[in-house]
Each structure stands twice: as C-alpha cells, then as structure tokens.
Amino acid sequence: MRNTGASFSAGQCKFTVWAPEKDAMQLVIDGRPPADMLKDEEGYFELDVSDIAPGARYRFAPAGGDSYPDPASHFQPDGVHGASAVVDHEAYRWSDAGWKGLPLQDLIFYEVHTGTFTPEGTFEGIISKLDYLSSLGVNAIELMPVSQFPGGRNWGYDMVFPYAVQHSYGGPDGLKALVDAAHAKGIAVFLDVIFNHLGPEGNYLPQFGPYFTDQYCTPWGNAINFDGEWSDGVRAYFCQAVMHWYEHYHLDGLRVDAVHMMFDNGAVHFWELVSRELNVMRQRMGRNFYLIAESDLNSPHVVKSPENGGWDFDVQWLDDFHHALYVLLDESGRDRYEDFGSIGQWGKAFTDGFVHSGEYVRFRKRRHGASSAGIPGEKFLVFNQNHDQVGNRVGGERLSMLVSFERQKLAAAAILLAPYLPMLFMGEEYGAQTPFFYFVSHSDEELIQKVVEGRRKEFENYKWEKDPPNPQDETTFQGSKLDWSEPERGEHAALLRWHRALIALRKTHPALRHFAKNDVRVNIVSDTCLVLHRRSADQQTELACIFNLGE
Amino acid sequence: MRNTGASFSAGQCKFTVWAPEKDAMQLVIDGRPPADMLKDEEGYFELDVSDIAPGARYRFAPAGGDSYPDPASHFQPDGVHGASAVVDHEAYRWSDAGWKGLPLQDLIFYEVHTGTFTPEGTFEGIISKLDYLSSLGVNAIELMPVSQFPGGRNWGYDMVFPYAVQHSYGGPDGLKALVDAAHAKGIAVFLDVIFNHLGPEGNYLPQFGPYFTDQYCTPWGNAINFDGEWSDGVRAYFCQAVMHWYEHYHLDGLRVDAVHMMFDNGAVHFWELVSRELNVMRQRMGRNFYLIAESDLNSPHVVKSPENGGWDFDVQWLDDFHHALYVLLDESGRDRYEDFGSIGQWGKAFTDGFVHSGEYVRFRKRRHGASSAGIPGEKFLVFNQNHDQVGNRVGGERLSMLVSFERQKLAAAAILLAPYLPMLFMGEEYGAQTPFFYFVSHSDEELIQKVVEGRRKEFENYKWEKDPPNPQDETTFQGSKLDWSEPERGEHAALLRWHRALIALRKTHPALRHFAKNDVRVNIVSDTCLVLHRRSADQQTELACIFNLGE
C-alpha cells in the first residue's frame, strides 16, 4: 500500500502526493525553483530530492496553480496555512527499546487534553506530570487529538493534517519525547484520531483529490470517500496514518473518533483493510498496537474479527455504562438521557455491556443495538465522564461539580471495579473544580461567527438557559486549565487517595483481574442499591462490591 | 413485527397504517363516512371494520387532509392514483398443497416480463406458456417486478406499491392462478422486488411517514430509511413485504433488486432482520423460500450467515460471468466492459466466481470485490443476458442479434454446464429476433419529458449514435413483445432443441449435479479455447466441456 508525504532518510527525501485527477504537480521547496513531479498510473506524483535537510519547508502546486501544504505533512511549523516541513524520523534517539507494551486487560486509561492539562499546555508539560500519573496508578495516557488543527486552542477534532503533530504542543519531537518518557515509566500512550471528517479551516485535501463523497452525509458535511471512485488512494491515506503513528511515534494504540460516521459499503471494509496491514506491522514492530473505537452503534461487529464480518477493534467505548450510572448519580441527568434511569439498566451494563441491545430508544426514535452478552469485558472501555460530557455542558461542569463527594467516590469504584477497561478524565481523580469548556482559535471571522452561533443554538436545543462562554475567546481556553494546587487540598486529596487505593486493588485482587462475563454477577437489592460480584479465573477468590446510591 | 394494510378475514377487516409523526388518521371507505383511526405508541393507526366485502375501495387521510391510497395496498384496481381495494386472501382455492418446492441446486431460471412475454401481456398469458416452459426444461420462472407501477407498460422498477399486484397483469388472483398452475407443472415462481427506491409517479409513502432518508443517496434520489429515526416502521414494512409474497402468493422466492443501493449501518442489518423472520415463516409454511440478490458489490458477505456478518441471501447474481464471456463472444463488447477481455477471466468466473476479487477496475476507478473462491456454486446465478443488458442497448438487441448462431450455442452451453444456477431471458432459448426496449407509461407530461431526455442522455454517455425509441410510445412496448411464430422456424428451432438437450443433460449427468468448487477445474488451451472439467460428488464420473471461441 502506497505511502505519501515527505519520506526522509540519510540526506535523501522522497516526496509523494496523490492527486489522481490532476495532470501535473510541482514540488515547491522554499528557496528553490519549483520542480515537476512524475505521475504514475495509480495517480501518485513522486520526486526524489537529494541534498535536502530536515526542516526544509515545502508545498505542492497541483496543475501549475497555487501551492498548498502536503496532505500527509508530518509537521506544520507555521500552522495549518503555512508550508509543510520535512521531518527526519531517524534522527530521534529512542530509549524505549525495552518497552513491550502492556496486556490489554491491564490498561487503566487517563484522558488528557494537552493544551489544558498543564500550565504549559505542551507535551513537555505532560512529561512533568508523569510521576504524578505513575503514583496515581494509571498506565495509559489517551491524548485528545494532536493532529495539526487551526490556531493554538482546540479540542483537536478540527484537525486538518491527520499525520502532523500540533506545532504549539511541541511538534513531532515533542510527542516522541513524551512517548519515550512515558514508556520509561511503564505508561502506554494512546492517541485520539479522526477519520470521519476534517475541520472547517485549513482543509486543503480537496485541492489534491476526491477525499470526500456526497454519497453519505455526516454532521460535519460530506463523508470521507472510503468506497467510491478513487477511494483506493483515500483508503491508503487513512490506513497509512495508522501505521505512521505506530511506527514513527511508538504509540501503543489509537482511539478512533465516531466510527459510526465512517461509511464504507464495499466488499472489503476500511477497517478490514487496516486489520490486515496492522497485523503485518505488528510482526515488524514486535509489540502490540491496540485500536479503540468510539462507536454509537451498540454493535458487536465493531470488535468482531473480519472473518466474522467485524472491524477488528480491540476495544470499544461503552457509553451506555456512563449513561446508566450518571442518571442514578445526578437526577437532573434524566432530562438528558431520557432512556436511562433504572438500576436494572446499570446492572445490565455490568453483566452484558450494551444496555440498549435492540430495545426501542426514545432519543433515537427507533430500536437500537444488538446484544453484547458474549463479548469479553476487556473489549469495552468505561468512564464516568470524558471531554464530551463535560465540555458539552453549557457550564463545562465536571461530575465533581454536579454530585456529592460520596457519589464521586461511588462512581470511581464503579469504573475501577468493573470488568471493563476504565478511563479517567484528567482531574477526575481529585475532583477538579475547574470547568472544561469547548474552545477554538480560528482565523476566519465568518467561521468564528458560525461556530459561536452554532454552539449557542445547540445549547438552546438542549434547553440550557444561559449562553455558553465564547469558544473563540482565549479566556475560555485558559479557564479550562486544571489547577494543580487543588489535588493537595482537603476532599480533593482524599478523593485522590481513594482513586489510588482502588487502582491498587484493581491491579492486585485476582477477582478484579478476570473479565469473563460468566464470572460477573449483579444482584439488584433495591432501586438504589446493587451488588456486583466478581470471581477470579481459578474460581478461588470472590469479591462483592456494594453500591448504595441511597441518601 | 407489525403488519400494515387491510387484513381481511371472515367478513372482518383490520386496517392498519403506520404514520408515526401524524396526530390523526381517517379511514375513507367508498360510500361510507370517514372514520377516525386509533393511534398506538409505535405510531400505527388501526381500525377494525366488520360488515365489509372484499373489493371494497378505501383510502387513508392523514391529519384530516387529503386522502391517499394505502402504502401497503394489496390491490390498486384503478392504478397507482386510485383507491386501494380490500383483498380476501382466504378466498383463493389453492391446489398446490403437495408442492414442496425444489432444491436450490436443481433450479433453472427463466426471466419473464409479464407484459411482453405473450400477446396478452398477462399472468394468464404466462399460464398458456407453461407447457412450453416445461418441455424446455426450465423449472423456475423469475418474474420481473409485478408490484403496482404507473400505467400499464413498465419494466416494473417504477413500482410504487410494494405489496400490490399490477392490475393490468391480472391483479392478485391472476398471480395466484399463475403460481398455482406453475406449481402443478413442477415449476417454481420467483418475483423480482425493489427495496431500494420507489418509482417517480404515484409514490404516496412520504404522505404517511419517514420512509426515505437524506443520509444516503441512490441514483433514484433519497435512499430508503433502514437505519435512521423512525426506521423500525420502514424496516417492518419491507420485511413484511417479503413475508407477504411468501404467505399469500405461495412464491418460491424473491430476487431483490440492487441490494448495494440499500444502506443500513445499524447494529442489526435489515437483511439480518429478514433472515430471522424468514426462518420463523419457513417453519410455519413447511417449504423453502429463497432470497436472491442482485449485487454490484462482489462481496461474499451477501450470502454469508448473519453470525458471520452476512446478509444470508441464498443466491447472488454473478454479473462477472456474463461480462467475462460476453466480451469473448462479441468483440464490440470490450468498449462497454473495458475491464474484461481475457479468457483467463472467464476461467476464473468458472472456478472462483467473482472475476474482480480485489483488483483495480478502470470502470470503477478503484479496487473492487473480494474473493468468492470458498463459496459453493449454487450460491451464484449466471446468465448470458437479462433485461438489463438487452434493454439498455439503444436498439434493444438480444445476444441473438449480436453474435452468430454457433456462438449462441456456445453461450447456452456455458451457463447450462456451469457449476452455478443458470438463467435464460425469455426468448433466449430460441434466439428471438425481437428487441427488448425500455418502456414506460407515465401520466405526467413533465415526468415523461424527463424520462425521455434522461434516456437519451444516458445513451449519449455510452457513445451510442442513434436515439433510442421513445420509452413512452406504445409501439416501443408492442415492439418488445416476443414473436411466438419464431421458435418453430429454422435456426430458432435448432437452438431451442439445443437448449432442451443441454438442460436434460444438466438434470441427469452426475458431474453436472455437483457444485463443489474443488471439483471444478478449468484448462486454458489458448486465447480462444478453454476446457471446463466437472466431476461428480462420488468422484466416479467426469465431464470435460471444450469451449472453442475461435473462428
């Protein structure tokens, strides 16, 4: 499968760009005359350049017209509208040769937004917190998207260069340093990637090829072209992006955004293609790489093997667990999640997985989902909150700002004692009181107005009474940063100790290290009380966890 | 799963219509005052009416406004814009109690367009030809769509009442009489149905509910809503249509039009739902019912079981077999099928199935398909021509009007000795010289102009030089009728005998009754010659068929 972008090795650089419907392409390197590239029959333009140094800035000019940054750029040192820069991936001196990854069942995730996790808002900032994370006991950082997005403030889902590392976070070398340092401390690093759309500013892909299709729609406009005319190049582009993160950044896996908004009705589904290529790559790399899906489908197909018609994800997010528990923790949540509310649903989330496994769901105005009863627990990831639930509240309130200290403790136990992979949202472990807002930093006035208005409209629909803070305003971003003086104080410190203790228990208790559904039982004691029974693989050890939601 | 329409039994009729977003619905029976229907929580309006006779005309009036025919009408005696009529399915006296259906491997299909097969253009006309078909040896009629379409002349793909039987063909009783008579002669009857769009005239479904979605596109406009909001009712409507044909018309199966234009990304695919319901119905009915897919996907999923992520079709059309052979028979075919042309491809069609199993296909501008090497032969249906290839030529020419007599004989042997289910297009067995054109009989002038223009444009794109005959013109339809004096004459009679002999051989030779791919081999002798080897299940009998395409 073809690779694109600038591939630098030993003073030589091969430039490749896919533009099947263009007749001509020029490579425009800063300080040199434009050079014609040669097109092959698959629609790829190539040019080998010797005598070039890493860091060299370049663009591509399709059909003799304007020049644009490289769709497969590894680095945009001047932002999304600037030139791309050649990266020498051989230059970084890795020290993680001994890192073999972690078994899937051992993973305890911690979701991080690089820009707001630390005062620095960089990868280096995260490195300074690795000891803290180690002492907490989490062993898998899940970075919100770091692919290049417009400006310096963004959740990351507006990214427009899937292969590039955000310059304001520290660029390629910064990410490598983080992964290397994390591995040194026994912490895996996962990255959130978006394969269902590109952001609204700085998307130059349509200048090169038919990356998008009007055959299917997404909330963000036309869908990515995974099955139409010329889709081979699009499939290769996104498939190679997976390999790129694996190979060049030593990542331990990817969390893939909203896989239900990727449409592919061809004979070989995009994720089947990725599965094949990834198995080859795993052989080569000698350690594992996990794919985690955010899926709104409640479908077992997501984690099934391609032989069984599946997409071969290792893990999928279990939103139903969140919804079922959240409405029990916070009564006002029932307005937002009208199809949840009974403790039996939460029990089903523990024993089966999907709460909606074919039932009619009012919110969706249709039956939803299929049974996940046969799927092992390690194939699901659970959380009490993530960037979405917090950031999509008008006040950006975390769970800690909505429910009592005791209920936060119960919620922590729920995910950390569950037979699933748990994930904390940065700051959750100490009950942070700082909000997490939605923020952007676009440069186009019209787009900014659209985003601000769109956001206001969305909250009106949800019947929130006040307006959200202006996403473009820098104070909205600054106000979303964690306050690292908090965890040392009072109840924060107590909650932090509670998390440490639960994580330690999870790592050592034999009943908590066994995820088979047969050995997970739930007794519903009352409308507000449930007992979770876990049993060890050798059937010798049992654990009963009593969750009492009564006042 | 809910049923809709008028369900008549013993003097009582239950009327049901699904309109989830309407507040009110009236049943308007001819000669009676409108009556309010009662809505339940699933969005179905119901009313039981006693003292009503079969044949009573009725309409539904959503929300107190205009009235429209029943979306699940079983009979439109006055055409698509007229009232619906109550049908008493218990009244028909079936004589096919002894009919147990035919094993899949035994089926030899014969595609019939009811309107042009006989001078009468009716089901009764087909009955008069059953002895002819019997003596030919075919044992499965595949009727082109007979669901109610606008006017009296149409291929059937413009149908707008999936449950109704075209009035001008003979209506429900006419179809029952045909099926009954066919079964009496050992002939199965299959029906072509369309679940991916409705025709452009007389589609009143949107007046009732969200049957369509703008999430996906088809060449005919918005796709059917199989997975969006309110899709349960749409899924039930089309799923029950399958059961309707099985139960009320004793059909032996359905051929489903263009399944690749049905989009469903939910956890339980529409065809998985059908598979479940059909298995229950098969128990009840005590004989089999086969689903055959027209699929442009070259995907093994179409015939795989739902447990393996498949759609559970019994059979899928193998267009590649046609394309691979046709370009060898008729050199001018290479312009139309630019990705075919080598005898090796035809050999692959014999041994594997899909010719394009992942290769780049110029016509599609992408890689296409997956391997079908492991799929048993009886899961594919092959043909030398069907309504599409013939009718989509500007001159409506059959294979018999394009290639020599000797090549027609070779083509006949190719499909009848193949390890697949063969299908003849009406008249093919005697090399009919009558064309088969595209024809319609719309009533809306604007639409007629659009169809005529659209047709002309389409042929321009295919670089045909002359204009096609006007589809709306009745002479176009009349000119497409078979001439039943032909089969008795000269080469026609010889070709007919040839078909009879081949079919007789297919039915009796042990090597031709065994479809396992392991026992099918092909030797490519030259660019124009191929030997097909077949072997019996007990490995005791072999057959070598030499196909020589040289001049």
Side-chain angles (χ1 to χ4, degrees), chain A residues 187-225:
Chain A
I187 297 176
V189 183
F190 289 73
L191 178 62
D192 192 343
V193 296
I194 303 115
F195 286 4
N196 52 36
H197 74 283
L198 261 74
E201 180 184 340
N203 173 9
Y204 294 106
L205 267 57
Q207 304 294 342
F208 290 92
Y211 285 88
F212 298 88
T213 173
D214 53 11
Q215 172 73 47
Y216 313 113
C217 305
T218 79
W220 316 283
N222 283 349
I224 307 263
N225 174 24

Short mmCIF file of all heavy atoms in Angstrom, two decimals, chain A residues 187-225:
data_model
loop_
_atom_site.label_atom_id
_atom_site.label_comp_id
_atom_site.label_asym_id
_atom_site.label_seq_id
_atom_site.Cartn_x
_atom_site.Cartn_y
_atom_site.Cartn_z
N ILE A 187 4.26 3.61 31.28
CA ILE A 187 2.96 4.16 30.86
C ILE A 187 2.84 4.10 29.34
O ILE A 187 3.73 4.57 28.60
CB ILE A 187 2.80 5.62 31.34
CG1 ILE A 187 2.82 5.66 32.88
CG2 ILE A 187 1.53 6.25 30.79
CD1 ILE A 187 2.75 7.06 33.46
N ALA A 188 1.75 3.51 28.87
CA ALA A 188 1.47 3.45 27.43
C ALA A 188 0.86 4.78 27.00
O ALA A 188 0.29 5.51 27.82
CB ALA A 188 0.50 2.31 27.14
N VAL A 189 0.98 5.09 25.71
CA VAL A 189 0.38 6.32 25.19
C VAL A 189 -0.51 6.00 23.99
O VAL A 189 -0.07 5.36 23.03
CB VAL A 189 1.44 7.37 24.79
CG1 VAL A 189 0.77 8.65 24.32
CG2 VAL A 189 2.38 7.66 25.96
N PHE A 190 -1.77 6.42 24.09
CA PHE A 190 -2.74 6.27 23.01
C PHE A 190 -3.08 7.65 22.46
O PHE A 190 -3.04 8.64 23.19
CB PHE A 190 -4.02 5.60 23.52
CG PHE A 190 -3.84 4.14 23.85
CD1 PHE A 190 -3.14 3.76 24.99
CD2 PHE A 190 -4.37 3.16 23.03
CE1 PHE A 190 -2.95 2.41 25.29
CE2 PHE A 190 -4.20 1.82 23.33
CZ PHE A 190 -3.48 1.44 24.47
N LEU A 191 -3.47 7.67 21.20
CA LEU A 191 -3.82 8.94 20.57
C LEU A 191 -5.21 8.86 19.96
O LEU A 191 -5.58 7.85 19.35
CB LEU A 191 -2.79 9.28 19.47
CG LEU A 191 -3.04 10.56 18.68
CD1 LEU A 191 -2.99 11.79 19.58
CD2 LEU A 191 -2.01 10.69 17.55
N ASP A 192 -5.95 9.93 20.15
CA ASP A 192 -7.29 10.07 19.59
C ASP A 192 -7.14 10.57 18.15
O ASP A 192 -6.50 11.60 17.92
CB ASP A 192 -8.04 11.09 20.45
CG ASP A 192 -9.53 11.13 20.19
OD1 ASP A 192 -9.98 10.64 19.14
OD2 ASP A 192 -10.24 11.69 21.05
N VAL A 193 -7.67 9.81 17.18
CA VAL A 193 -7.57 10.25 15.77
C VAL A 193 -8.96 10.33 15.14
O VAL A 193 -9.89 9.67 15.59
CB VAL A 193 -6.69 9.30 14.94
CG1 VAL A 193 -5.25 9.31 15.44
CG2 VAL A 193 -7.26 7.89 14.95
N ILE A 194 -9.06 11.15 14.11
CA ILE A 194 -10.35 11.42 13.48
C ILE A 194 -10.27 11.00 12.02
O ILE A 194 -9.49 11.58 11.25
CB ILE A 194 -10.70 12.92 13.57
CG1 ILE A 194 -10.70 13.35 15.03
CG2 ILE A 194 -12.05 13.20 12.92
CD1 ILE A 194 -9.62 14.35 15.35
N PHE A 195 -11.06 10.01 11.65
CA PHE A 195 -11.06 9.51 10.28
C PHE A 195 -12.44 9.70 9.63
O PHE A 195 -12.74 9.06 8.62
CB PHE A 195 -10.71 8.02 10.26
CG PHE A 195 -9.26 7.70 10.51
CD1 PHE A 195 -8.33 8.68 10.82
CD2 PHE A 195 -8.81 6.39 10.42
CE1 PHE A 195 -6.99 8.38 11.05
CE2 PHE A 195 -7.48 6.07 10.64
CZ PHE A 195 -6.58 7.06 10.96
N ASN A 196 -13.28 10.52 10.24
CA ASN A 196 -14.64 10.67 9.69
C ASN A 196 -14.89 12.05 9.10
O ASN A 196 -15.89 12.27 8.43
CB ASN A 196 -15.68 10.35 10.76
CG ASN A 196 -15.42 11.13 12.03
OD1 ASN A 196 -15.00 12.27 11.98
ND2 ASN A 196 -15.68 10.49 13.16
N HIS A 197 -14.01 12.99 9.36
CA HIS A 197 -14.16 14.33 8.79
C HIS A 197 -12.86 15.09 8.96
O HIS A 197 -11.97 14.63 9.68
CB HIS A 197 -15.31 15.09 9.46
CG HIS A 197 -15.00 15.59 10.85
ND1 HIS A 197 -15.00 14.76 11.94
CD2 HIS A 197 -14.65 16.82 11.31
CE1 HIS A 197 -14.68 15.47 13.03
NE2 HIS A 197 -14.47 16.71 12.67
N LEU A 198 -12.76 16.24 8.31
CA LEU A 198 -11.68 17.16 8.59
C LEU A 198 -12.30 18.46 9.08
O LEU A 198 -13.49 18.72 8.84
CB LEU A 198 -10.82 17.42 7.35
CG LEU A 198 -9.51 16.59 7.32
CD1 LEU A 198 -9.82 15.14 6.98
CD2 LEU A 198 -8.49 17.16 6.37
N GLY A 199 -11.53 19.26 9.78
CA GLY A 199 -12.04 20.51 10.33
C GLY A 199 -12.40 21.52 9.24
O GLY A 199 -12.07 21.33 8.07
N PRO A 200 -13.06 22.60 9.66
CA PRO A 200 -13.57 23.57 8.68
C PRO A 200 -12.55 24.60 8.22
O PRO A 200 -12.82 25.36 7.31
CB PRO A 200 -14.71 24.26 9.45
CG PRO A 200 -14.31 24.17 10.89
CD PRO A 200 -13.48 22.91 11.03
N GLU A 201 -11.37 24.63 8.83
CA GLU A 201 -10.36 25.62 8.40
C GLU A 201 -9.03 24.94 8.10
O GLU A 201 -8.51 24.21 8.95
CB GLU A 201 -10.14 26.68 9.50
CG GLU A 201 -9.09 27.73 9.08
CD GLU A 201 -8.78 28.76 10.18
OE1 GLU A 201 -9.59 28.93 11.10
OE2 GLU A 201 -7.70 29.37 10.08
N GLY A 202 -8.51 25.20 6.90
CA GLY A 202 -7.19 24.66 6.57
C GLY A 202 -7.24 23.28 5.93
O GLY A 202 -6.23 22.61 5.82
N ASN A 203 -8.40 22.87 5.49
CA ASN A 203 -8.53 21.57 4.83
C ASN A 203 -8.21 21.72 3.35
O ASN A 203 -9.06 22.14 2.57
CB ASN A 203 -9.95 21.02 5.03
CG ASN A 203 -10.20 19.76 4.21
OD1 ASN A 203 -9.28 19.20 3.63
ND2 ASN A 203 -11.45 19.33 4.17
N TYR A 204 -6.99 21.39 2.98
CA TYR A 204 -6.58 21.54 1.57
C TYR A 204 -6.69 20.23 0.79
O TYR A 204 -6.31 20.18 -0.38
CB TYR A 204 -5.14 22.09 1.51
CG TYR A 204 -5.04 23.51 2.05
CD1 TYR A 204 -4.48 23.77 3.29
CD2 TYR A 204 -5.55 24.58 1.32
CE1 TYR A 204 -4.40 25.06 3.79
CE2 TYR A 204 -5.49 25.87 1.81
CZ TYR A 204 -4.91 26.10 3.05
OH TYR A 204 -4.85 27.39 3.53
N LEU A 205 -7.17 19.20 1.40
CA LEU A 205 -7.25 17.90 0.73
C LEU A 205 -8.03 17.95 -0.59
O LEU A 205 -7.61 17.36 -1.59
CB LEU A 205 -7.85 16.84 1.66
CG LEU A 205 -6.84 16.01 2.46
CD1 LEU A 205 -5.95 16.90 3.31
CD2 LEU A 205 -7.54 14.98 3.32
N PRO A 206 -9.18 18.67 -0.63
CA PRO A 206 -9.94 18.69 -1.90
C PRO A 206 -9.15 19.32 -3.05
O PRO A 206 -9.51 19.13 -4.21
CB PRO A 206 -11.17 19.55 -1.55
CG PRO A 206 -11.31 19.41 -0.06
CD PRO A 206 -9.91 19.33 0.45
N GLN A 207 -8.07 20.07 -2.75
CA GLN A 207 -7.25 20.63 -3.82
C GLN A 207 -6.45 19.53 -4.53
O GLN A 207 -5.96 19.74 -5.63
CB GLN A 207 -6.26 21.66 -3.26
CG GLN A 207 -6.91 22.79 -2.48
CD GLN A 207 -7.78 23.68 -3.36
OE1 GLN A 207 -7.65 23.67 -4.59
NE2 GLN A 207 -8.69 24.41 -2.74
N PHE A 208 -6.34 18.39 -3.87
CA PHE A 208 -5.50 17.32 -4.42
C PHE A 208 -6.30 16.15 -5.01
O PHE A 208 -6.00 15.68 -6.09
CB PHE A 208 -4.54 16.82 -3.33
CG PHE A 208 -3.49 17.82 -2.96
CD1 PHE A 208 -3.69 18.72 -1.93
CD2 PHE A 208 -2.30 17.88 -3.68
CE1 PHE A 208 -2.72 19.67 -1.60
CE2 PHE A 208 -1.32 18.82 -3.35
CZ PHE A 208 -1.54 19.72 -2.31
N GLY A 209 -7.30 15.72 -4.29
CA GLY A 209 -8.02 14.53 -4.78
C GLY A 209 -9.39 14.39 -4.16
O GLY A 209 -9.78 15.17 -3.29
N PRO A 210 -10.13 13.40 -4.64
CA PRO A 210 -11.51 13.18 -4.18
C PRO A 210 -11.55 12.46 -2.82
O PRO A 210 -11.98 11.33 -2.73
CB PRO A 210 -12.12 12.34 -5.30
CG PRO A 210 -10.97 11.66 -5.96
CD PRO A 210 -9.75 12.50 -5.73
N TYR A 211 -11.09 13.16 -1.79
CA TYR A 211 -11.07 12.59 -0.44
C TYR A 211 -12.49 12.51 0.16
O TYR A 211 -12.71 11.79 1.11
CB TYR A 211 -10.20 13.42 0.50
CG TYR A 211 -8.72 13.26 0.28
CD1 TYR A 211 -8.03 14.04 -0.64
CD2 TYR A 211 -8.01 12.31 1.01
CE1 TYR A 211 -6.67 13.89 -0.83
CE2 TYR A 211 -6.64 12.15 0.83
CZ TYR A 211 -5.98 12.94 -0.10
OH TYR A 211 -4.63 12.79 -0.29
N PHE A 212 -13.41 13.28 -0.41
CA PHE A 212 -14.75 13.36 0.16
C PHE A 212 -15.80 12.88 -0.85
O PHE A 212 -15.54 12.85 -2.06
CB PHE A 212 -15.06 14.79 0.62
CG PHE A 212 -14.12 15.24 1.70
CD1 PHE A 212 -12.91 15.85 1.39
CD2 PHE A 212 -14.43 15.03 3.03
CE1 PHE A 212 -12.02 16.23 2.39
CE2 PHE A 212 -13.55 15.41 4.05
CZ PHE A 212 -12.34 16.01 3.72
N THR A 213 -16.95 12.47 -0.35
CA THR A 213 -18.02 11.97 -1.20
C THR A 213 -19.35 12.58 -0.78
O THR A 213 -19.54 12.85 0.40
CB THR A 213 -18.12 10.43 -1.11
OG1 THR A 213 -19.27 10.00 -1.83
CG2 THR A 213 -18.28 9.96 0.34
N ASP A 214 -20.23 12.79 -1.74
CA ASP A 214 -21.56 13.25 -1.36
C ASP A 214 -22.57 12.08 -1.33
O ASP A 214 -23.77 12.29 -1.25
CB ASP A 214 -22.06 14.39 -2.25
CG ASP A 214 -21.98 14.01 -3.71
OD1 ASP A 214 -21.75 12.83 -4.02
OD2 ASP A 214 -22.15 14.90 -4.56
N GLN A 215 -22.03 10.86 -1.38
CA GLN A 215 -22.89 9.68 -1.29
C GLN A 215 -23.47 9.52 0.12
O GLN A 215 -24.57 9.03 0.31
CB GLN A 215 -22.04 8.44 -1.66
CG GLN A 215 -22.70 7.10 -1.44
CD GLN A 215 -23.77 6.81 -2.46
OE1 GLN A 215 -23.57 6.99 -3.65
NE2 GLN A 215 -24.94 6.37 -2.01
N TYR A 216 -22.69 9.95 1.11
CA TYR A 216 -23.12 9.84 2.51
C TYR A 216 -22.95 11.20 3.20
O TYR A 216 -22.12 12.00 2.79
CB TYR A 216 -22.28 8.81 3.26
CG TYR A 216 -22.08 7.51 2.53
CD1 TYR A 216 -20.84 7.12 2.06
CD2 TYR A 216 -23.17 6.65 2.30
CE1 TYR A 216 -20.66 5.92 1.38
CE2 TYR A 216 -22.99 5.46 1.62
CZ TYR A 216 -21.74 5.09 1.16
OH TYR A 216 -21.57 3.91 0.49
N CYS A 217 -23.74 11.42 4.25
CA CYS A 217 -23.64 12.68 4.99
C CYS A 217 -23.16 12.44 6.40
O CYS A 217 -23.42 11.40 6.99
CB CYS A 217 -25.01 13.34 5.07
SG CYS A 217 -25.77 13.58 3.48
N THR A 218 -22.46 13.42 6.97
CA THR A 218 -22.12 13.41 8.39
C THR A 218 -22.55 14.75 8.97
O THR A 218 -22.86 15.68 8.22
CB THR A 218 -20.59 13.24 8.61
OG1 THR A 218 -19.96 14.51 8.39
CG2 THR A 218 -19.98 12.20 7.70
N PRO A 219 -22.56 14.85 10.31
CA PRO A 219 -22.92 16.15 10.92
C PRO A 219 -21.95 17.25 10.49
O PRO A 219 -22.24 18.42 10.66
CB PRO A 219 -22.80 15.89 12.42
CG PRO A 219 -22.81 14.41 12.59
CD PRO A 219 -22.29 13.83 11.33
N TRP A 220 -20.79 16.87 9.97
CA TRP A 220 -19.78 17.85 9.60
C TRP A 220 -19.69 18.03 8.09
O TRP A 220 -18.70 18.54 7.58
CB TRP A 220 -18.42 17.43 10.17
CG TRP A 220 -18.52 16.95 11.58
CD1 TRP A 220 -18.65 17.76 12.69
CD2 TRP A 220 -18.55 15.60 12.05
NE1 TRP A 220 -18.75 16.97 13.80
CE2 TRP A 220 -18.69 15.66 13.46
CE3 TRP A 220 -18.47 14.36 11.44
CZ2 TRP A 220 -18.77 14.50 14.24
CZ3 TRP A 220 -18.54 13.21 12.22
CH2 TRP A 220 -18.68 13.29 13.60
N GLY A 221 -20.72 17.59 7.36
CA GLY A 221 -20.69 17.74 5.90
C GLY A 221 -20.44 16.42 5.21
O GLY A 221 -20.70 15.35 5.77
N ASN A 222 -19.91 16.51 3.99
CA ASN A 222 -19.66 15.30 3.20
C ASN A 222 -18.78 14.31 3.95
O ASN A 222 -17.88 14.70 4.68
CB ASN A 222 -18.97 15.66 1.89
CG ASN A 222 -19.95 16.26 0.89
OD1 ASN A 222 -21.16 16.21 1.11
ND2 ASN A 222 -19.43 16.82 -0.18
N ALA A 223 -19.06 13.05 3.72
CA ALA A 223 -18.29 11.99 4.38
C ALA A 223 -16.97 11.76 3.64
O ALA A 223 -16.79 12.17 2.50
CB ALA A 223 -19.10 10.70 4.42
N ILE A 224 -16.04 11.09 4.32
CA ILE A 224 -14.79 10.68 3.68
C ILE A 224 -15.11 9.56 2.69
O ILE A 224 -15.94 8.69 2.95
CB ILE A 224 -13.78 10.18 4.75
CG1 ILE A 224 -13.60 11.22 5.86
CG2 ILE A 224 -12.47 9.78 4.09
CD1 ILE A 224 -12.43 12.13 5.76
N ASN A 225 -14.43 9.61 1.55
CA ASN A 225 -14.69 8.69 0.45
C ASN A 225 -13.96 7.35 0.63
O ASN A 225 -12.88 7.16 0.08
CB ASN A 225 -14.27 9.37 -0.86
CG ASN A 225 -14.37 8.47 -2.07
OD1 ASN A 225 -15.14 7.49 -2.06
ND2 ASN A 225 -13.60 8.78 -3.09
#
